[in-house]
Amino acid sequence: MPELPDVEGFRRRFERLAKGRTVARVDVEARGRMLLAPESAVRSALRGRRLGATRRIGKWMFAKAGGDLWLALHFGMTGDVEEVGERDPPYARLVLRFRGGGGVAFTDPRRFGRIALAASPEAFADEHGLGPDAMELTERAFLRRIEGRRVGAKALLLDQGVLAGVGNLWADEALWQARIHPATRVEDLEDEARRRLFRAMRSALRRALRKPGDYEALPRTWLLPHRRVGGRCPRCGERLAPGAVAGRTTFWCPKEQRR
DNA sequence: AGGTATGTTAATTG
DNA sequence: GCAATTAACATACC
């Protein structure tokens, strides 16, 4: 489930469990693609360090590990942050145990997640071509960044280099709230529609951040609670159209979101 | 058993 | 160079 609000929830949990704690033991249960830094580097960046501030840019979470190094985590499709008790949680890929007891784990059954090290969150975002976080970006900056693009509106929202944090579900929600067909090309959107899209995205994410990751808590008047085959548009009752846009499963209201 | 999945990236094609 | 599409990654779940 990890999109911006979910990752923000992971960050808060990580911070609650780990901030101010000193790492006594590091277990790395990840190899290959999951590790963007050598295992030995991850180990030495964390072992013996007191964990500090946490940050989030888009779908990446960062935790300062002292020694001017930050741990960076991406949660792929199935990543999570879990508290560690006696034994490692299932699918643990990185386990940190603290001096004095307790610990925190990065779990990820499907192994699409990533474990990395960074000099700073900003430097990491630069190196990896991450655009500004969707909750930090201003409307003006959004308009400037999408100017001249010809991609479809959904592909635009999913492009982490344009803005970081929006994934498949929240892209659908934002487009539905803004009444924009997901395949509409940006160049065909009036300035007013572009602003509408930005505001819909921002307000939807802001509301989601009240209870990160809790999709049950979303208003029933929104798209996401109805986003399934056979679901109906909560505004007009029309059956939602399922399809593939930008290579991803997409739902929209065929009556209200026209090209 | 087969289809699907909230993410990213490389390869391919237009 | 840009944009769209598809496959691949690795695994769980229905």
Side-chain angles (χ1 to χ4, degrees):
Chain A
M1 32 164 171
E3 298 186 31
L4 187 152
D6 314 287
V7 176
E8 177 63 15
F10 301 155
R11 185 194 68 77
R12 292 179 193 175
R13 190 180 308 142
F14 189 99
E15 178 159 313
R16 176 171 58 75
L17 294 169
K19 191 174 180 184
R21 307 297 306 276
T22 301
V23 178
R25 175 175 159 178
V26 181
D27 287 312
V28 181
E29 310 287 348
R31 295 177 309 284
R33 284 181 183 78
M34 284 198 82
L35 279 179
L36 300 189
E39 178 177 337
S40 58
V42 173
R43 233 175 247 303
S44 59
L46 292 165
R47 193 174 45 213
R49 305 289 187 180
R50 184 190 181 85
L51 298 174
T54 60
R55 292 272 312 280
R56 183 193 54 71
I57 299 178
K59 302 170 192 172
W60 283 91
M61 191 210 92
F62 304 88
K64 193 164 188 346
D68 289 327
L69 267 188
W70 294 67
L71 170 68
L73 297 175
H74 191 286
F75 297 89
M77 298 271 269
T78 54
D80 200 356
V81 167
E82 296 182 41
E83 186 167 11
V84 171
E86 287 291 300
R87 49 206 302 181
D88 292 357
Y91 309 113
R93 306 303 175 198
L94 177 67
V95 180
L96 308 181
R97 291 178 185 279
F98 305 130
R99 214 175 270 171
V104 66
F106 166 59
T107 63
D108 183 14
R110 208 169 145 185
R111 302 178 203 256
F112 281 180
R114 298 287 183 266
I115 299 168
L117 295 175
S120 73
E122 292 75 16
F124 187 86
D126 274 355
E127 288 163 26
H128 291 260
L130 273 188
D133 184 80
M135 292 306 294
E136 303 288 332
L137 177 77
T138 63
E139 181 174 289
R140 180 186 295 187
F142 175 77
L143 295 173
R144 177 161 40 78
R145 294 179 78 83
I146 72 176
E147 185 62 41
R149 297 291 306 256
R150 283 170 294 174
V151 278
K154 177 154 179 174
L156 180 89
L157 291 176
L158 292 177
D159 186 340
Q160 303 297 299
V162 174
L163 73 170
V166 178
N168 200 29
L169 298 183
W170 289 100
D172 278 7
E173 183 66 50
L175 289 160
W176 177 83
Q177 290 196 18
R179 295 177 157 87
I180 292 169
H181 190 288
T184 314
R185 284 175 305 172
V186 172
E187 59 180 340
D188 295 331
L189 289 175
E190 305 287 340
D191 188 64
E192 200 279 322
R194 297 180 189 194
R195 292 174 192 271
R196 219 164 60 230
L197 180 58
F198 174 82
R199 289 172 188 165
M201 173 208 65
R202 184 62 76 87
S203 67
L205 289 177
R206 186 172 302 288
R207 172 67 193 268
L209 284 170
R210 280 163 43 172
K211 287 191 169 188
D214 187 353
Y215 285 76
E216 300 296 308
L218 295 178
R220 310 300 296 175
T221 52
W222 284 17
L223 173 74
L224 286 178
H226 309 273
R227 189 187 177 281
R228 56 190 151 69
V229 173
R232 290 181 178 277
C233 172
R235 279 189 306 239
C236 74
E238 186 79 1
R239 196 177 296 279
L240 294 172
V245 178
R248 311 296 304 280
T249 304
T250 302
F251 287 86
W252 68 95
C253 174
K255 205 165 149 187
E256 300 181 335
Q257 293 168 269
R258 301 201 190 260
R259 296 190 65 167

